[in-house]
């Protein structure tokens, strides 16, 4: 069975305190870039919404929500004698939108697909790579 | 010489009158004619011509030689529509529905006039759009974009309709080609082209070169990849839909493109093949062999959005070895088919298998804010043997805007031995508390905040928590609000 996100992070966190060099896990942190996924659309003017560092747009229709998976790391096998250390978590964001367009408006100026609220839907690990030769107990 | 001048004058007047009548057909219709000397200023070609006709020969000669009021041009009409549209929006926002409706009727009439007056409205609109700056200095530019996009859409629909009737596609094809070629010019043209052409019937096989040029630009990071991909998918859908290529031809092309280096081509290929049940297994084995999580995540998204929910759920399960977690796809599926996702969660919980999939299923249905979402999140928090799934349920329960519910969920998870001493899980609990903060219930935030502060948080989480308490609590620190 594949390892879950949390399980992977917590196992890695625990591994960081295993001092024996013979058990070097030979892993490194690989960054997974931020991704945005849009939920189903409702008929509306298109979305154009900015949050710091990010612009959300759709051609037509108002998405019910958008999910933002932040930049994070996964542990992958490495040929080097390295291991990964957890340095924190980043929030996965779920942003809800709603269509406020009045359907009487033929030219939808000033209308439209509006931000309603956002919530955190999960925690994504931030990892870094360290050499097994270092003193991992510290 | 004198007699000649005498017969010429009425002839010239007659000619001028006929010319005026041709310019204004309503000239000859019976109508009350405003008088120049009653303070009314004539406006519009026909009204001026009528006034001139009644005023007598000398006046006719003077008015026709120097045309009185110029008809508004394309750009002036667009600006008028912007102004009217803004006024309608203001009235609608002030709940003055009757006035907004009346104004909106005027807008529709003026827009119809514009389209009728300019058979080349599409080309004119495109030219005006290219002239708009991406960083508008004129506050009307945002409105101009909206109106010009509407002009282009309407023009495409008009020409497509004509093409259906006459089988002559040159006018619509030429406009679409121009729009596609113009798209890389500015962010404004790229956005307009995307909104006008994506998932519409206008892009056809003849535009393949222009679409692939955009794909190439996207591959060089000189154009937005999502737009290029959308247009490529639109092209493929249309060439199949209108019989310009068969489904099998496209599938063969998609198979070739699966290994293409360009991400837009690859995504389009996966998209095409996934929708055909005959090739779905092939895509899955290609993904497993390749192990590319980025493409796998895109495929998961396509499946969640576009396949029948049951097939999408099954495909997401099969993607598991390549893509350990796909919360985004499950969220989409949870909104499309919450009952299906809930049933799948119950089944996996009963079998106590696939804890990672259970996490995603709880995310998918739990975040929908429906009674079913609440039921599944509660079920997971109280009954799931996996701490990861229980933690996921806390995110769902704290995001519902119910402070008491969120506080209970956080209190329960903080009682867990596996959480209380674990910095990563505590960091996740701080993120869940951020959801609770949106309820504005200072007492609940205070109680959970104080409890978390007493736990072994990482430095980053502690800082994050202190910042949250600073923002949310009246005194900026825990223990100062009631109920603590």
């Amino acid at each position: 069975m594949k390892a879950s996100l949390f399980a992977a992070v917590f196992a890695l966190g625990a591994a960081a305190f295993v001092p024996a060099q013979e058990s070097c896990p030979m892993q490194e942190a690989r960054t997974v870039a931020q991704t945005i996924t849009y939920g189903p659309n409702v008929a509306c003017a298109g979305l154009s919404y900015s949050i710091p560092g990010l612009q959300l747009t759709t051609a037509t229709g108002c998405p019910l929500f958008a999910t933002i998976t932040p930049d994070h790391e996964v542990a992958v096998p490495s040929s080097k004698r390295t291991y990964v250390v957890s340095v924190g978590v980043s929030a996965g964001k779920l942003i809800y939108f709603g269509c406020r367009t009045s359907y009487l408006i033929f030219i939808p100026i000033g209308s439209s697909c509006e931000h309603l609220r956002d919530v955190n839907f999960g925690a994504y690990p931030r990892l870094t790579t360290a050499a097994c030769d270092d003193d991992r107990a510290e | 010489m004198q007699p000649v001048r005498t017969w010429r004058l009425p002839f010239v007047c007659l000619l001028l009158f006929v010319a005026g009548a041709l310019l204004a057909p309503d000239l000859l219709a019976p109508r009350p004619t405003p008088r120049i000397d009653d303070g009314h200023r004539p406006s519009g070609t026909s009204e001026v011509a009528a006034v001139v006709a009644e005023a007598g020969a000398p006046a006719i000669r003077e008015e026709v030689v120097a045309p009185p009021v110029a008809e508004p041009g394309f750009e002036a009409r667009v600006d008028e529509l912007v102004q009217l549209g803004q006024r309608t929006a203001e009235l609608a926002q002030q709940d003055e529905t009757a006035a907004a409706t009346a104004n909106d009727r005027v807008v529709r009439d003026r827009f119809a006039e514009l389209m009728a007056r300019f058979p080349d409205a599409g080309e004119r609109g495109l030219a005006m759009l290219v002239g708009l700056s991406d960083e508008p200095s004129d506050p009307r530019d945002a409105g101009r974009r909206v109106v010009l996009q509407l002009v282009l859409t309407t023009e495409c629909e008009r020409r497509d309709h004509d093409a259906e009737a006459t089988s002559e596609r040159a006018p619509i094809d030429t406009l679409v080609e121009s729009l596609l070629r113009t798209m890389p010019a500015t962010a404004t043209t790229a956005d307009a082209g995307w909104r006008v052409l994506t998932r519409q019937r206008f892009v056809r096989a003849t535009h393949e070169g222009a679409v692939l040029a955009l794909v190439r630009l996207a591959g060089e990071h000189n154009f937005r990849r999502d737009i290029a991909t959308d247009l490529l998918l639109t092209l493929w859908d249309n060439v199949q839909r209108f019989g310009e290529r068969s489904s099998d031809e496209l599938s063969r092309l998609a198979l070739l493109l699966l290994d293409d280096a360009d991400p837009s081509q690859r995504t389009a290929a996966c998209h095409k093949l996934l929708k055909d049940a005959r090739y779905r297994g092939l895509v899955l084995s290609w993904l497993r062999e390749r192990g590319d999580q980025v493409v796998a995540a895109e495929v998961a998204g396509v499946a969640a959005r576009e396949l029948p929910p049951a097939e999408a759920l099954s495909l997401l399960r099969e993607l598991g070895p390549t893509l350990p977690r796909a919360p985004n796809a499950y969220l989409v599926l949870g909104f499309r088919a919450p009952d299906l996702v809930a049933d799948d969660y119950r089944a996996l919980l009963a079998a106590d298998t696939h804890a990672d999939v259970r996490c995603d299923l709880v995310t998918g249905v739990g975040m929908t804010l429906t009674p079913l979402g609440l039921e599944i999140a509660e079920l997971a928090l109280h009954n799931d043997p996996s701490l990861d799934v229980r933690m996921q349920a806390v995110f769902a329960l704290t995001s519902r805007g119910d402070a008491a519910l969120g506080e209970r969920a956080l209190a329960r998870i903080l009682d867990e031995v596996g959480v209380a001493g674990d910095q990563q899980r505590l960091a996740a609990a701080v993120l869940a508390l951020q959801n609770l903060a949106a309820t504005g219930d200072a007492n609940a935030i205070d109680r959970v905040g104080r409890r978390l502060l007493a736990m072994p948080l990482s430095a980053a989480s502690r800082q994050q928590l202190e910042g949250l308490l600073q923002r949310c609590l009246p005194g900026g620190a825990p223990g100062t609000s009631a109920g603590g």
Side-chain angles (χ1 to χ4, degrees):
Chain A
M1 186 189 298
K2 63 206 173 204
S4 78
L5 189 67
F6 278 118
V9 178
F10 303 141
L12 292 166
F17 295 95
V18 177
Q21 295 204 359
E22 299 75 43
S23 64
C24 181
M26 311 287 279
Q27 286 184 323
E28 62 187 359
R30 190 181 69 196
T31 299
V32 180
Q34 170 183 269
T35 55
I36 302 163
T37 306
Y38 294 101
N41 277 341
V42 291
C44 190
L47 168 70
S48 183
Y49 177 69
S50 295
I51 55 174
L54 196 60
Q55 172 76 30
L56 304 177
T57 52
T58 59
T60 53
C62 183
L64 292 173
F65 61 87
T67 58
I68 301 170
T69 306
D71 285 341
H72 63 281
E73 285 80 30
V74 291
V76 294
S78 170
S79 56
K80 300 176 206 144
R81 289 184 56 77
T82 55
Y83 66 103
V84 295
V85 182
S86 173
V87 290
V89 295
S90 291
K93 289 270 178 201
L94 176 58
I95 305 176
Y96 295 92
F97 298 99
C99 185
R100 288 278 305 268
T101 300
S102 166
Y103 284 93
L104 66 88
I105 297 178
F106 180 60
I107 295 179
I109 294 169
S111 70
S112 66
C113 187
E114 294 180 0
H115 166 255
L116 297 179
R117 64 195 194 100
D118 52 70
V119 296
N120 296 333
F121 73 85
Y124 286 80
R126 300 311 314 248
L127 308 174
T128 186
T129 307
C132 285
D133 297 331
D134 293 348
D135 185 356
R136 291 161 55 180
E138 289 180 3
Chain B
M1 299 302 289
Q2 195 68 15
V4 174
R5 197 176 291 168
T6 312
W7 70 261
R8 265 186 189 167
L9 183 61
F11 185 64
V12 169
C13 291
L14 181 65
L15 276 177
L16 292 172
F17 178 78
V18 170
L22 284 172
L23 284 170
D26 55 348
L27 174 68
L28 301 177
R31 53 179 291 180
T33 308
R35 299 178 61 83
I36 288 179
D37 59 0
D38 64 1
H40 173 91
R41 291 188 64 78
S43 62
T45 312
S46 59
E47 195 173 340
V48 169
V51 170
V52 167
E54 192 185 60
I60 288 172
R61 178 159 33 188
E62 187 185 333
E63 290 291 334
V64 173
V65 169
V69 179
E71 188 183 339
F74 181 83
E75 297 198 1
R77 285 174 189 256
V78 168
D79 282 353
E80 185 196 16
L81 284 166
V82 170
Q83 207 174 12
L84 285 166
Q86 282 168 336
R87 181 67 190 137
T88 310
E90 284 166 14
L91 290 168
Q93 278 161 12
Q94 292 158 6
D95 289 333
E96 295 184 31
T97 311
T101 305
N103 212 56
D104 194 56
R105 221 171 281 130
V106 174
V107 177
R108 287 167 195 265
D109 290 346
R110 295 286 163 81
F111 186 80
E113 280 171 27
L114 174 125
M115 295 306 295
R117 173 67 185 79
F118 296 99
D120 57 350
E123 282 76 6
R124 286 174 186 265
L126 195 51
M128 192 174 170
L129 196 69
V130 172
L132 295 182
S133 165
D134 285 340
E135 301 296 333
S137 49
D138 187 332
R140 289 171 299 179
D141 277 359
R144 286 176 178 138
R145 280 194 203 101
V146 173
V147 173
L148 292 173
Q149 186 191 312
L150 197 58
V151 166
L152 283 164
T153 301
T154 309
E155 182 72 290
C156 284
E157 283 168 356
R158 172 163 76 177
R159 293 190 190 184
D160 191 67
H161 182 265
D162 290 348
E164 290 293 305
T166 62
S167 300
E168 174 50 62
R169 291 203 60 83
I172 172 71
D173 284 347
T174 307
L175 177 61
V176 171
E177 181 81 15
S178 302
L179 184 50
L180 287 166
R181 298 283 178 200
T182 311
M183 284 177 72
T186 63
T188 298
T189 54
D191 191 64
W194 185 37
R195 291 172 195 273
V196 172
L197 300 176
T198 297
R199 286 184 280 284
Q200 299 297 326
R201 46 191 285 135
F202 315 130
V203 178
R204 300 293 181 89
T206 186
H207 304 116
E208 190 167 24
V211 172
L212 290 177
L214 295 177
V215 169
R216 272 194 298 279
L217 281 174
E220 296 158 6
H221 305 288
N222 290 322
F223 190 71
R224 276 179 54 184
R225 187 164 98 72
D226 54 342
I227 297 182
T229 306
D230 275 353
L231 287 171
L232 188 59
L233 289 168
T234 301
L235 170 71
W236 282 22
D237 283 346
N238 286 348
V239 295
Q240 183 180 339
R241 180 175 164 199
F242 298 108
E244 292 174 312
R245 272 189 210 155
S246 72
S247 175
D248 282 345
E249 280 175 317
L250 276 176
S251 297
R252 282 198 292 276
L253 174 64
L255 287 172
L256 289 174
L257 290 175
L258 264 187
D259 278 322
D260 197 284
D262 183 89
S264 294
Q265 303 263 31
R266 232 170 30 217
T267 303
C270 282
H271 192 280
K272 167 68 193 155
L273 294 170
L274 271 184
K275 282 164 78 174
D276 188 332
R278 292 175 299 169
Y279 295 99
R280 214 168 284 157
L282 185 70
V283 175
L284 285 168
S285 67
W286 177 83
L287 281 170
R288 275 195 291 270
E289 195 178 302
R290 194 182 166 89
D292 186 332
Q293 289 203 353
V294 175
V295 181
E298 284 182 9
V299 167
V302 169
R305 279 194 307 273
E306 301 187 16
L307 289 185
E311 290 176 34
L313 199 57
S314 153
L315 188 134
L316 288 177
R317 190 72 58 78
E318 290 190 58
L319 275 176
T322 313
L323 191 67
R325 292 289 308 271
N328 298 355
Y330 280 93
L331 276 162
V332 173
L333 209 50
F335 274 82
R336 282 183 69 202
D339 290 319
L340 183 75
V341 177
D343 286 347
D344 203 41
Y345 172 70
R346 290 190 196 100
L348 291 185
L349 177 63
D352 191 14
T353 57
H354 298 82
D356 44 356
V357 177
R358 295 207 304 272
C359 257
D360 281 347
L361 290 165
V362 168
T363 307
V365 73
M367 303 300 288
T368 57
L369 310 183
T370 59
L372 180 62
L374 175 61
E375 179 195 323
I376 292 298
E378 294 269 25
L379 177 70
L381 180 64
H382 295 100
N383 296 287
D384 202 294
S386 160
L387 184 51
D388 300 332
V389 181
R390 296 202 293 279
M391 189 78 224
Q392 198 58 53
V394 172
F395 277 107
L397 292 166
T398 52
S399 68
R400 303 181 68 88
D402 180 336
L405 178 71
E407 185 184 2
R408 278 199 305 275
L410 271 163
R412 186 178 177 102
I413 205 77
L414 292 178
D415 284 342
E416 302 262 10
V417 178
V419 172
D422 188 306
Q423 288 194 336
Q424 299 304 315
R425 288 192 166 108
L426 288 172
V430 172
L431 294 181
L433 181 62
Q434 285 179 352
N435 290 343
L436 199 59
T439 65
D441 187 328
N443 292 332
I445 298 161
D446 179 29
R447 287 188 289 268
V448 179
R450 269 191 292 136
R451 190 160 174 206
L452 273 166
L453 280 174
M455 294 177 134
L457 296 173
S458 68
S461 293
R462 186 167 296 278
Q463 193 179 1
Q464 203 170 20
L465 175 61
E466 285 168 354
L468 176 70
L469 298 176
Q470 187 79 33
R471 285 194 305 276
C472 298
L473 299 184
T480 54
S481 60

